[in-house]
Amino acid sequence: MSPRRSVAEARQTRADILAAGVRLASADGLEGLTIGRLATELRMSKSGVLGHFGSKEELQLAVVDAAAEIFAREVPDRVRDVRPGLQKLTAMCAAWVSYLERRVFPGGCFFMAAATEFDDRPGRVHDTIVGLTSVWDRDLYRQIRTATADGDLPADTDADQMVFEVSGVMLGLNTALQLRRDASAPARARRALGRLLGQPIAAVTLLMVLASGPRFQPPTRHRRFRFPRRRLSTA
């Protein structure tokens, strides 16, 4: 076997482990993700799985990174070329609703679940989740401020408050879809967001759905987590 082929196979094995890890962690949580469970899932030895990460914490961090790549592809990347301000803010919200409605992750929003799981657990995983979610919040904030400066939102708009309320709508949508299987929840979320933004987002959401790919596409390659402040941004 050539060295080049050996490296390629090792990368593919790592990608397969991460794809399975994202799928399992989405449904059962990052703490439920173990070397042994992944080994059984992939029909590998424990040492074979462990050799790619070294510890459970490193595995969790790599899975969070892989999940961030999927979220970035499904939400921020879809609106990257939209004009900044209210137009982009509306498209971001539409893409976010579509991402939840299409159940991109088997267990609902990966980061909402991870945030709940690690909200009171200090450490590297907690800090990574905070860093990634903060990027998205800051991008929403920037678009709100731009829309306000453009006159598309009222001059007295409180950007921090609007970010809080938009995030609350999305959290409610994720809970309604996952806990109650409420098929009417996406439409209710769009109406709530429309009231917050002062315009309907249903048409924008439809365009996002039409442009969407499969519900869940495991990452074909893994890029090591280094710059959490940039990963989920639409900039």
Side-chain angles (χ1 to χ4, degrees):
M1 181 183 298
S2 69
R4 181 176 298 179
R5 183 178 179 184
S6 178
V7 170
E9 289 182 349
R11 288 176 177 170
Q12 184 57 53
T13 299
R14 183 183 177 90
D16 291 341
I17 294 171
L18 287 171
V22 169
R23 186 176 65 252
L24 293 173
S26 170
D28 300 327
L30 284 164
E31 280 299 294
L33 187 64
T34 64
I35 301 295
R37 187 173 182 188
L38 275 174
T40 300
E41 177 82 8
L42 296 168
R43 297 181 179 180
M44 295 176 60
S45 66
K46 289 184 180 180
S47 60
V49 175
L50 188 62
H52 286 274
F53 303 99
S55 69
K56 180 177 179 177
E57 183 181 62
E58 289 297 327
L59 170 63
Q60 290 174 329
L61 289 169
V63 166
V64 170
D65 188 23
E69 291 188 1
I70 295 171
F71 180 86
R73 184 178 66 231
E74 293 293 334
V75 185
D77 287 354
R78 294 182 185 275
V79 303
R80 196 171 298 278
D81 297 328
V82 179
R83 180 180 178 275
L86 185 59
Q87 185 177 346
K88 190 161 193 170
L89 177 63
T90 303
M92 289 169 68
C93 291
W96 203 357
V97 171
S98 174
Y99 149 83
L100 291 172
E101 185 176 26
R102 289 181 292 115
R103 299 180 187 277
V104 170
F105 291 101
C109 180
F110 183 97
F111 291 97
M112 290 181 187
T116 300
E117 185 179 6
F118 280 84
D119 58 1
D120 60 349
R121 298 183 184 185
R124 294 170 64 200
V125 178
H126 169 276
D127 293 345
T128 299
I129 294 168
V130 170
L132 287 166
T133 55
S134 295
V135 171
W136 183 243
D137 286 348
R138 283 197 297 270
D139 209 359
L140 289 169
Y141 179 89
R142 283 198 301 268
Q143 302 311 321
I144 294 167
R145 290 296 300 270
T146 300
T148 303
D150 291 343
D152 293 326
L153 288 175
D156 61 350
T157 297
D158 184 333
D160 287 313
Q161 181 65 27
M162 183 170 281
V163 170
F164 184 87
E165 292 180 12
V166 167
S167 299
V169 170
M170 295 303 184
L171 181 59
L173 171 58
N174 188 66
T175 300
L177 287 172
Q178 293 303 120
L179 185 63
R180 300 194 298 274
R181 299 294 190 265
D182 183 358
S184 69
R188 294 183 184 280
R190 291 184 184 107
R191 287 198 295 272
L193 292 167
R195 285 196 295 270
L196 280 172
L197 305 182
Q199 62 182 50
I201 69 166
V204 182
T205 302
L206 177 60
L207 292 176
M208 293 294 174
V209 172
L210 293 176
S212 299
R215 290 183 178 181
F216 179 74
Q217 298 179 351
T220 56
R221 60 184 176 81
H222 175 72
R223 184 173 66 232
R224 190 74 183 118
F225 178 83
R226 288 194 180 95
F227 303 109
R229 294 186 179 181
R230 298 177 58 188
R231 293 301 295 278
L232 304 189
S233 176
T234 62

